[in-house]
Amino acid sequence: MVDRLAGYGGSLVRAGLGPRDAAVAVDFVADLVFSSSVAMRGLDRTVPDAAGGSLTARESHRRAWARESAGRHPFEAEFTAEETWHGRGWFDDKLAIFLDGLATRIAPGSAGQGNG
């Protein structure tokens, strides 16, 4: 794993990021992978419901969003979308936003120079 992460970091430096930015980027993605995995697995645990039964944390959260936010703001519908609660959840979207932001630290024409 260390060899793979070092390879990713080296690629980022060659693309124009400074060494610190490259190291933080690699660490950020690793943290995102681990935290997303833990969060998605945690949705499978059972929690008590109001009627004295139980349901998954996933269903509890989905019901709360559907009940409490009934469309007051357009973004709230995303919390009730099926893909939000299964598989990788929002991992790909979070990674894309991060990479877009990271790209702003690469100055035009700096690839291979290691600036930033």
Side-chain angles (χ1 to χ4, degrees):
M1 184 170 152
V2 171
D3 289 341
R4 183 169 292 222
L5 294 177
Y8 292 147
S11 294
L12 292 170
V13 170
R14 287 188 298 281
L17 283 179
R20 177 79 176 180
D21 284 350
V24 171
V26 169
D27 184 65
F28 180 93
V29 173
D31 286 348
L32 181 60
V33 167
F34 293 130
S35 66
S36 293
S37 176
V38 168
M40 294 306 288
R41 277 196 324 264
L43 292 174
D44 291 325
R45 75 184 190 287
T46 51
V47 296
D49 67 8
S54 64
L55 66 163
T56 65
R58 174 181 292 109
E59 190 57 33
S60 176
H61 291 310
R62 288 177 70 192
R63 288 180 184 180
W65 273 105
R67 180 180 60 250
E68 299 298 328
S69 62
R72 287 181 289 163
H73 301 286
F75 81 92
E76 292 172 345
E78 296 299 323
F79 286 95
T80 59
E82 190 66 24
E83 64 272 10
T84 300
W85 302 101
H86 296 283
R88 293 161 57 132
W90 285 339
F91 175 83
D92 295 327
D93 298 298
K94 290 175 181 180
L95 182 60
I97 290 169
F98 168 72
L99 293 174
D100 288 346
L102 189 63
T104 67
R105 293 195 174 229
I106 299 174
S110 68
Q113 297 176 17
N115 297 331

